[in-house]
């Protein structure tokens, strides 16, 4: 990770230099389209729309959102077909990210939120029970992924009665392939089948359905995520993260993921004030879990959730901006919503 941290410091220096060049500039830019890279998980979609609302109503850009999986979006950022994405999980894509940054096609603008965990989860009641719901602990000594070998019968695969089912990330996510390799490395392929949940929503739905029924389930998940925010889930232990082993066969815990804001370098050189704003764009896991929980509980769209965040967290988003005219423009736009 030393390379990424070094490049982040270098990019901040470049941004400061570019901003000095336009120090006397003020007001709104002429209409120009910004394309933001969307992924299939909801947190990035909301973060993109929070930033997108500010870019549209504060800076005067037209904003479009382009959906894609991680590698295609990175390629789009390199080509300039995509200008920005506010939440790229780089540890699962390290080689592709390093190549893009070393080529200077792509610029790291900073972290969106602190390092994020990901791994394999079970409902806590599987281990501890839940007296309030009348659920008894069925696997009181389940602590590690290796312990799953003893409990495949608790997580039955309805299509293969001889094995349990591990609910994986959707096909197309890098984590999906990593989890499949982990199943083999941990010797769990004799006990479990990997099940493709189809989408972020599909994965969340199957976890929540099992939870509401008080049934055992083992599934991949991560934070920030409304599922982890609302439900009492326990991450199973894996061997401590070791970079050498991870690079060989993924046979350790996931590294705490760096979740960064990325942009096309040429675009930021043309629009350094946007780079300054995005370099200041930071949140916390708790804030992200909170708006994801709001989204789920209220059946809100990503646009509605972004508006809710902006209306209720003025002190946060205003700290990302230095131009008072831009702040005033955003406030005026929010009053009309």
């Amino acid at each position: 990770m030393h390379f990424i941290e070094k490049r982040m410091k270098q990019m901040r220096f470049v941004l400061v230099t570019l901003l000095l060049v336009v120090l006397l500039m003020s007001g709104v830019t002429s209409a120009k389209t910004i394309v933001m890279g969307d992924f299939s998980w909801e947190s990035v979609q909301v973060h993109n729309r929070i930033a997108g609302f500010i870019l549209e109503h504060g800076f005067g850009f037209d904003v479009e959102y382009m959906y894609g999986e991680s590698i295609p979006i990175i390629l789009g950022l390199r080509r300039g077909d995509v200008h920005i994405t506010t939440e790229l999980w780089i540890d699962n894509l390290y080689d592709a990210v390093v190549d893009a940054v070393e080529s200077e096609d792509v610029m790291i603008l900073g972290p969106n939120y602190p390092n994020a965990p990901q791994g394999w989860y079970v409902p806590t009641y599987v281990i501890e029970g839940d007296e309030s719901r009348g659920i008894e602990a069925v696997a009181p000594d389940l602590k590690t992924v290796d312990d799953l070998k003893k409990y495949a019968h608790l997580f039955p695969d309805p299509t293969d009665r001889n094995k349990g089912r591990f609910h994986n990330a959707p096909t197309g996510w890098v984590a999906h392939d990593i989890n499949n390799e982990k199943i083999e490395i941990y010797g769990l392929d004799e006990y479990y089948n990997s099940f493709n949940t189809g989408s972020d929503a599909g994965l969340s739905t199957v976890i929540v359905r099992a939870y509401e029924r008080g049934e055992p389930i083992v599934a991949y998940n991560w934070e920030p995520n409304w599922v982890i925010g609302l439900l009492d889930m326990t991450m199973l232990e894996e061997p401590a993260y070791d970079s050498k082993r991870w690079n060989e066969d993924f046979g350790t815990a996931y590294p705490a993921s760096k979740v960064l804001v990325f942009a096309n370098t040429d675009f930021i050189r043309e629009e350094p004030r946007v780079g300054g704003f995005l370099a200041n764009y930071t949140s916390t896991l708790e804030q992200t879990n909170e708006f994801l929980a709001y989204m789920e509980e209220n059946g809100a769209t990503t646009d509605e959730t972004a508006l809710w965040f902006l209306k209720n967290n003025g002190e946060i988003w205003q700290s990302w901006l230095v131009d008072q005219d831009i702040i005033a423009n955003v406030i005026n736009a929010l009053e009309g919503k």
Side-chain angles (χ1 to χ4, degrees):
M1 285 302 155
H2 296 300
F3 168 80
I4 294 296
E5 293 166 355
K6 180 179 179 181
R7 294 300 298 212
M8 285 172 63
K9 291 179 181 178
Q10 291 173 341
M11 293 305 178
R12 286 188 177 275
F13 175 78
V14 171
L15 278 174
V16 169
T17 302
L18 290 171
L19 284 167
L20 288 173
V21 175
V22 294
L23 186 62
L24 299 179
M25 294 174 61
S26 62
V28 180
T29 67
S30 57
K32 180 178 180 179
T33 299
I34 290 181
V35 178
M36 304 193 73
D38 256 352
F39 303 108
S40 57
W41 55 93
E42 293 169 337
S43 57
V44 66
Q45 294 173 15
V46 177
H47 276 297
N48 276 348
R49 281 151 186 80
I50 292 169
F53 189 94
I54 293 171
L55 290 168
E56 179 179 354
H57 297 283
F59 289 82
F61 289 96
D62 294 327
V63 180
E64 296 179 358
Y65 302 94
M66 179 182 291
Y67 173 82
E69 297 299 345
S70 299
I71 294 298
I73 291 297
I74 291 174
L75 293 175
L77 285 165
R78 295 190 68 167
R79 292 191 303 261
D81 302 331
V82 178
H83 299 119
I84 298 161
T85 189
T86 56
E87 187 183 313
L88 189 63
W89 292 53
I90 69 167
D91 294 273
N92 297 353
L93 305 155
Y94 190 73
D95 290 342
V97 168
V98 168
D99 189 48
V101 173
E102 282 188 331
S103 71
E104 299 188 357
D105 296 332
V106 174
M107 178 180 288
I108 304 169
L109 296 175
N112 183 323
Y113 42 76
N115 293 353
Q118 55 183 319
W120 297 7
Y121 291 78
V122 299
T124 301
Y125 58 70
V126 170
I127 304 169
E128 300 179 4
D130 186 342
E131 186 175 352
S132 67
R133 299 176 64 191
I135 300 174
E136 295 185 2
V138 292
D141 59 347
L142 175 57
K143 295 181 179 180
T144 71
V145 293
D146 192 60
D147 294 334
L148 286 171
K149 295 174 182 176
K150 297 181 291 185
Y151 293 111
H153 64 283
L154 294 179
F155 311 100
D157 184 340
T159 65
D160 182 355
R161 62 183 181 179
N162 295 316
K163 290 187 178 183
R165 173 176 284 186
F166 169 73
H167 292 81
N168 203 346
T171 301
W173 290 19
V174 175
H176 174 274
D177 298 335
I178 290 176
N179 287 330
N180 282 341
E181 293 205 34
K182 283 176 174 286
I183 287 173
E184 292 189 19
I185 291 299
Y186 293 149
L188 292 169
D189 49 327
E190 296 182 23
Y191 303 88
Y192 289 85
N193 293 319
S194 173
F195 179 73
N196 172 26
T197 51
S199 66
D200 177 5
L203 178 59
S204 298
T205 297
V206 73
I207 294 172
V208 171
R209 184 184 297 123
Y211 196 95
E212 290 176 343
R213 295 173 177 173
E215 298 172 347
I217 185 172
V218 57
Y220 166 79
N221 224 274
W222 68 95
E223 292 187 63
N225 187 315
W226 69 264
V227 170
I228 304 302
L230 289 180
L231 308 182
D232 186 1
M233 304 287 288
T234 295
M235 184 190 294
L236 298 177
E237 297 175 10
E238 299 180 61
Y241 172 71
D242 176 82
S243 59
K244 182 178 179 181
R245 178 68 188 273
W246 177 265
N247 291 327
E248 289 176 356
D249 59 17
F250 305 112
T252 74
Y254 279 91
S257 293
K258 290 186 179 297
V259 184
L260 305 178
V261 180
F262 277 77
N264 174 266
T265 301
D266 288 341
F267 174 78
I268 294 302
R269 284 172 176 162
E270 294 172 4
E271 301 291 347
R273 289 190 305 155
V274 174
F277 155 54
L278 292 171
N280 290 331
Y281 188 106
T282 56
S283 65
T284 65
L285 289 172
E286 291 75 18
Q287 289 162 1
T288 303
N289 278 331
E290 182 181 20
F291 72 57
L292 290 174
Y294 169 86
M295 183 177 179
E296 175 63 21
E297 291 178 319
N298 293 276
T301 65
T302 52
D303 290 301
E304 291 167 343
T305 304
L307 280 174
W308 175 83
F309 177 87
L310 289 163
K311 288 180 177 180
N312 290 278
N313 295 279
E315 73 286 354
I316 294 173
W317 66 259
Q318 290 178 37
S319 70
W320 303 334
L321 299 161
V322 296
D323 190 318
Q324 293 302 310
D325 289 336
I326 291 176
I327 292 174
N329 290 339
V330 176
I331 292 173
N332 290 336
L334 289 171
E335 290 175 350
K337 298 292 184 179

